[in-house]
Amino acid sequence: MIFVVIIFAGNILIGKAINDLPPFTIAFFRLLIAFLIVFPLGWRRAWENRAIFLEYKKPFLLMTLAGVTFFNTFIYGALQFTTSSNVAILETVIPALTVVLSALILKEKLMSIQWFGVCLSLLGAVWVVMDGRIFSLFSMDWNPGDAIMIGAIITWSVYSIMVKKYMHLFPPFAALLVMTGISVIVLLPIVLVEWLITGIPSFDQPNLVLGLLYLGIFPSLIALILFNRAVAMLGASQASMFLNFLPVVTMIGAYFWLGENISLMQILGAIIVIAGVTITTQMGKRQTRKTLKENY
C-alpha cells in the first residue's frame, strides 16, 4: 500500500508538472496508453463475457464515465489552477461523501458520529480552500481549480457506489479494457474540440511523453493491481486507511520537486480532513461488525 500511495501521489504531481498540456489531452493519452497495455490481457475475457457487459450496460457506462473518463479529467483540470497539495487534500474527502451517498442511494444507515465525521472532513476541505479564513467564505475570490475538484469528488464517489453494486459481475482486466476503450471514444471528439480552441499541443519535450507514459502505466494499471492485492492481504478497511497518507506524500513531493510552498493552514486542514474521514469510515465498519455479531 505504501507503493500505491506513492503512485497515486505521483499521478497528482505528474499531472501538475505536465500541465502545459490541456486537461482533456492528458486524460485522453493516459487512457489510450492504458488501453493499449491492457488489451492483450483483457480482450479474450471481454469477448467471452460480452453478454454480461450488454446486460448491465447502463450501470457499467455510468461507472465508466464517472470513475474512468471524467474523474482524472477533473483532477488534471483542477491542477491547471490550484496546487497539487490542495488537490490531494480535497481528494481525501471522497470516502466521507461516498458514505453519505451510500445512505441516500443504497439506504445504508448513518450514525450520528458518522455525520459528525462528514461535517468535520468538509470543514477541513473548506479550511484548505480558504487557507484558514473560514469567515471570509462569501467574500473570497474562489480558485477555479478548487471548484473543479468538486466534480472529481462527486464523480469518484458515484463510481465507488456503482462499484460496490456491480463491479463483482465483471472480470477485472476485461472491465478495465472496456472502460478505457469507452473513455477513449468519449474523449476523442472532446480532445479535438480542445485542440481547435487551444491549438494542437507539441509533444517534442521528453518530460511530456514520459509523464504521459507514467500516468498510463502506473496509476492506471500497476497501482490498481497492487491495491487489489493489498485488499486481499489486509482487508479493504486497513488498505483504504493507507490512502489517508496521500496528502502527506503529495505535499512532500510538491515541496521538494515542484517547489510549492506548504502553509500551516494546509497542514492543519489536511489533519482535519483525515480525522473526519477516519471517524466516518471506521465507525461505519465498527457498526457493521456489531450488527453481524448480533445477527449471528
Side-chain angles (χ1 to χ4, degrees), residues 37-181:
I37 293 173
V38 82
F39 183 82
L41 301 174
W43 73 269
R44 188 182 298 275
R45 293 284 285 163
W47 177 253
E48 293 171 351
N49 292 272
R50 61 189 182 279
I52 297 176
F53 285 101
L54 290 173
E55 182 179 354
Y56 294 95
K57 57 182 178 295
K58 290 183 179 180
F60 187 83
L61 181 61
L62 179 57
M63 279 194 298
T64 299
L65 294 177
V68 180
T69 310
F70 291 115
F71 168 66
N72 277 293
T73 305
F74 278 123
I75 286 181
Y76 302 139
L79 288 168
Q80 300 280 328
F81 302 99
T82 192
T83 66
S84 55
S85 299
N86 271 22
V87 167
I89 295 168
L90 293 173
E91 197 173 330
T92 58
V93 177
I94 290 172
L97 180 59
T98 301
V99 170
V100 174
L101 291 180
S102 296
L104 296 176
I105 299 174
L106 303 181
K107 307 302 179 183
E108 295 182 357
K109 292 183 179 180
L110 205 58
M111 297 182 296
S112 298
I113 187 65
Q114 289 180 283
W115 282 113
F116 171 75
V118 170
C119 294
L120 189 62
S121 62
L122 292 177
L123 174 63
V126 174
W127 184 283
V128 170
V129 172
M130 302 297 297
D131 198 26
R133 300 189 298 273
I134 295 293
F135 297 106
S136 303
L137 182 62
F138 297 104
S139 61
M140 177 182 173
D141 293 329
W142 281 77
N143 186 313
D146 296 327
I148 292 171
M149 271 304 294
I150 295 174
I153 293 168
I154 293 173
T155 52
W156 191 262
S157 298
V158 170
Y159 174 75
S160 300
I161 298 296
M162 300 303 294
V163 164
K164 190 172 185 178
K165 290 188 65 174
Y166 296 104
M167 186 56 84
H168 66 280
L169 300 171
F170 309 99
F173 281 113
L176 188 58
L177 174 66
V178 178
M179 282 179 161
T180 53

Side-chain angles (χ1 to χ4, degrees), residues 15 76 115 124 126 130 163 188 191 202 214 220 231 240 242 249 263 296:
Y76 302 139
W115 282 113
V126 174
M130 302 297 297
V163 164
L188 178 58
V191 168
S202 173
Y214 175 90
S220 303
V231 169
S240 62
F242 275 87
V249 177
S263 70
Y296 295 97

Side-chain angles (χ1 to χ4, degrees), residues 109 111 283-296:
K109 292 183 179 180
M111 297 182 296
M283 290 306 296
K285 294 181 178 72
R286 289 181 184 178
Q287 179 64 23
T288 301
R289 288 195 294 267
K290 181 180 178 181
T291 303
L292 290 173
K293 288 180 181 178
E294 291 174 351
N295 292 337
Y296 295 97

Side-chain angles (χ1 to χ4, degrees), residues 172-195:
F173 281 113
L176 188 58
L177 174 66
V178 178
M179 282 179 161
T180 53
I182 291 173
S183 298
V184 167
I185 293 171
V186 170
L187 287 175
L188 178 58
I190 301 176
V191 168
L192 294 178
V193 172
E194 186 177 61
W195 289 356

